[in-house]
Amino acid sequence: MSKPIQTYGEFWHFYLREHSLPVTRRFHFVGSSLGVATAVAAIVTGRAALIPAALVSAYGFAWFSHFFIERNKPASFKYPLWSFISDFRMAGLMAVGQLDGHMERAFANGAQGTGTNSLSPAQLARGEAQAQQAR
């Protein structure tokens, strides 16, 4: 059994490795965006009943992508606060096009994600290059 993560810096790299596939990150982005939009609608309209829908949309998209695409356990199960913060950090970096460098550093020194389908940025690039050659 691996030792618990002690710092947010360690967690951030772990978190990114658990989101190695671009489609997993896109599911998170959509879920987080819907969750925020629904939470804002709940506040603006005063309809507290929308809060559960905000949580279901945000976590539903994310957990679906982990269980069925990346094939790993969501980091929120073990590190809920750091995971919540990292969801928004990752979405923000995606929105401004600055996530790639963070992904490369997370996979430095041969580190891998825990998912059955997890791939490093280098493995993804090789796969895309092979797909281009096949065309």
Side-chain angles (χ1 to χ4, degrees):
M1 185 167 165
S2 63
K3 70 176 188 155
I5 295 171
Q6 299 295 317
T7 67
Y8 180 74
E10 284 179 81
F11 176 79
W12 175 239
H13 287 164
F14 164 77
Y15 180 86
L16 292 177
R17 289 190 302 270
E18 296 301 284
H19 299 81
S20 72
L21 300 174
V23 68
T24 302
R25 295 190 298 271
R26 288 185 197 114
F27 266 84
H28 272 261
F29 188 88
V30 169
S32 294
S33 298
L34 286 172
V36 167
T38 306
V40 168
I43 292 166
V44 169
T45 64
R47 294 180 58 199
L50 289 175
I51 296 299
L55 294 171
V56 167
S57 63
Y59 285 104
F61 273 84
W63 290 354
F64 174 86
S65 69
H66 283 288
F67 291 126
F68 298 106
I69 298 169
E70 195 92 30
R71 297 195 183 271
N72 59 14
K73 289 182 185 173
S76 59
F77 287 4
K78 195 167 183 181
Y79 302 96
L81 180 59
W82 282 348
S83 182
F84 180 78
I85 293 165
S86 296
D87 281 343
F88 289 101
R89 182 178 181 187
M90 182 173 70
L93 289 167
M94 288 173 68
V96 298
Q98 294 183 358
L99 186 60
D100 290 348
H102 290 263
M103 294 299 295
E104 289 172 14
R105 284 187 294 279
F107 282 92
N109 302 319
Q112 293 293 315
T114 62
T116 304
N117 293 333
S118 295
L119 297 171
S120 70
Q123 290 169 316
L124 286 169
R126 280 194 299 272
E128 290 171 6
Q130 288 172 347
Q132 287 290 335
Q133 290 174 350
R135 291 182 193 160

